Amino acid sequence: MVAKDQKTNHHLDPTEIGLRPGLEGVPVTQSAICDIDGVKGELRYRGYPIAELASHSSFLETTYLLIWGDLPSPQQLRDFEREVQMHRRVSFRVRDMMKCFPASGHPMDALQSSAASLGLFYSRRAIDDPQYVYDAVVRLIAKIPTMVAAFQLIRKGQDPIQPRDDLAYSANFLYMLTEREPDPLSARIFDKCLILHAEHSLNASTFSARVTASTLTDPYAVIASAVGTLAGPLHGGANEDVIKMLEDIGDPEQANSYLEKAIAKKQKIMGFGHREYKVKDPRASILQGLAEELFARFGKDEMYDVARTLEKQSERSLGKKGIYPNVDFYSGLVYRKLGIPRDLFTPVFAISRVAGWLAHWREQLGANRIFRPSQIYTGEKSRKWKQADDRLSPTSI
Ligand code: SDX
C-alpha cells in the first residue's frame, strides 16, 4: 500500500519515509489544545500554565476551557455546572448490567463496558449538530464518575447510591464512592488532581480517541476506545503499579538495592520516564505538594518516604538518561490518603481524561481525515496453496 502525498499527489514509498516505531516524534495532526515543553518541563492547556489552573481553576471550568477553547464567563460556567449536575444519574439498565459483571473484574473493564453501553441509549448520531455534541460532552463528563462509583459499591454487594445534587462535582464523586461526604480539603485536592490529569496532548489514549473519532463513530465509542487504551500499565495503569512497587520496597533503606536490581534486569521503574518529558513531570511536583498537604492534615503515609528516597537515589542512574518521575509516581499516594482503592486509581485518571479526550474528539471533527497510516511489509511475498496433507508440521504458535 503506497500512500499519496497530498500536495504533489506523489505516491510516497513507506521505505522512503522510514519506520518510526510508536510514531515517536511524528506529527500526525495539528492541535491547539495542549502544549508540552519536555525539555523545560512545561505544560499548558490552551496556553494556560498547568500550575495556574491547578491553583485557581476547578475541574469543570478547566473542562470547559479544554473543550471550547476559552475560560467560561461566570454565567457559562454556572450553566455548564448545572447541566452536568442534572445528568449525573445513570439508567437503571446500565446499573443492572453492571450487577452482572464479576466482582473480581478490573474496574477499568467495567468502565469501558459501561461507557460503551451509553451509545445504546443515545443512538442518534448527529456529530455535525453542535447541540448533540454539547449534550454528549455533558453526559459523558457527568456520568463517568457515577459509573466508576457504582461499580465500587456493586462489587461490594451493595446498591449504588444516587448522586447528591447539593454537592459539587468532586465532592459528589467522593461521596458516591465512599458513602460519606468528604471534608472540604479532600474534595478540593481531588478536584486539583482531576485538573492535573485532564489533558496531555497526543498520549496513547488520546491518540486512540482521535483515531476512533476520525471514522465519525459516536462519542461513546470514542471514549470506550480511549478507556481501553488508558488501562495499560505503560500508560494510565502505572499509578496502581507504583503503589505495588513502593509496598514491595517497603522501607526507604531498601530503595537503592531495589533500584540497582531493577536496572540490572532492565526492568522499568513504574512512575518514571516519559516520551515527552526529559525532566521531572511538572504534574508530579504539584501532586507531591498535594500529598504533603493531605499528610499535614491527616497524617503521613510511610510510603511517601520510600518514594522520596527512590526519587533521590534514581537521580544518578536514571536522571542522566532523562528519566524522572512522571504524573503517576505521586498520584497514588494522594488517592490512597483520600481513601480511594488502588484498582480505582486508573478509573479516576479516566474520569479526568474524558475532558481531554472530548476536546480532541471535537477538534478532530473540525478538520477530519480518517487515520490510515502505512506499514513496511516484511511477510512472505507470494505463496502457492498447499493441500492439508502436503503441509509440514505448523510452526509453534
Ligand atoms: C502516562 O504520553 C503521555 O503523555 C502519557 C501520560 C499522560 O498524561 O497521558 O503522561 C500518562 O502514561 C505516564 C507514563 C506512565 N507509565 C509508566 O510510568 C511506566 C514506566 N515508564 C516507561 O514504560 C516509559 O518511560 C514510557 C512508556 C512512559 C515511555 O517510554 P518510551 O518513551 O517509549 O521510552 P523507551 O521505553 O523507549 O525507553 C528508552 C530508554 C530505554 O533504555 P535503553 O534500552 O535505551 O537503554 O529509557 C529506559 C528504557 O529502558 N526507560 C526506563 C524507564 N522508562 C524508559 N528505564 C527504567 N525505568 C523506566 N521507567
Side-chain angles (χ1 to χ4, degrees), residues 200 234-235 268-269 271-272 274-275 283 321 326 353:
H200 211 243
L234 292 189
H235 189 14
K268 297 273 174 71
I269 311 294
F272 275 77
H274 201 281
R275 180 68 59 81
R283 300 168 295 176
K321 293 174 77 173
N326 60 48
R353 191 52 61 88

Side-chain angles (χ1 to χ4, degrees), residues 320-333:
K320 64 185 180 209
K321 293 174 77 173
I323 299 166
Y324 290 91
N326 60 48
V327 67
D328 289 311
F329 189 59
Y330 287 107
S331 58
L333 290 167

Side-chain angles (χ1 to χ4, degrees), residues 24 36 196-197 199-206 230 232-239 242 263 266-278 281 283 318 321 323 326-329 349 353:
E24 181 157 7
I36 297 171
L196 292 167
H197 286 81
E199 159 63 8
H200 211 243
S201 84
L202 218 48
N203 58 84
S205 55
T206 301
L230 183 72
L234 292 189
H235 189 14
N239 52 20
V242 167
I263 291 172
K266 284 195 82 64
Q267 181 190 319
K268 297 273 174 71
I269 311 294
M270 302 316 273
F272 275 77
H274 201 281
R275 180 68 59 81
E276 295 286 317
Y277 293 118
K278 301 311 163 198
D281 186 328
R283 300 168 295 176
L318 298 177
K321 293 174 77 173
I323 299 166
N326 60 48
V327 67
D328 289 311
F329 189 59
F349 194 152
R353 191 52 61 88

Side-chain angles (χ1 to χ4, degrees), residues 103-142:
S104 58
H106 195 287
M108 280 299 274
D109 294 322
L111 179 58
Q112 187 176 24
S113 309
S114 43
S117 76
L118 292 177
L120 293 160
F121 296 89
Y122 310 109
S123 52
R124 173 176 163 265
R125 269 189 208 169
I127 49 182
D128 50 357
D129 171 0
Q131 189 57 50
Y132 171 86
V133 169
Y134 182 83
D135 292 345
V137 164
V138 166
R139 285 185 185 122
L140 283 158
I141 294 291

Side-chain angles (χ1 to χ4, degrees), residues 14-62:
T15 50
E16 278 176 25
I17 299 168
L19 191 62
R20 304 290 181 84
L23 287 176
E24 181 157 7
V26 178
V28 293
T29 189
Q30 295 186 103
S31 179
I33 300 168
C34 172
D35 189 20
I36 297 171
D37 182 325
V39 175
K40 292 184 191 157
E42 289 175 359
L43 168 60
R44 293 170 186 269
Y45 294 171
R46 300 283 188 182
Y48 292 93
I50 189 64
E52 285 192 21
L53 291 169
S55 296
H56 307 302
S57 189
S58 68
F59 173 62
L60 286 185
E61 184 179 58
T62 298

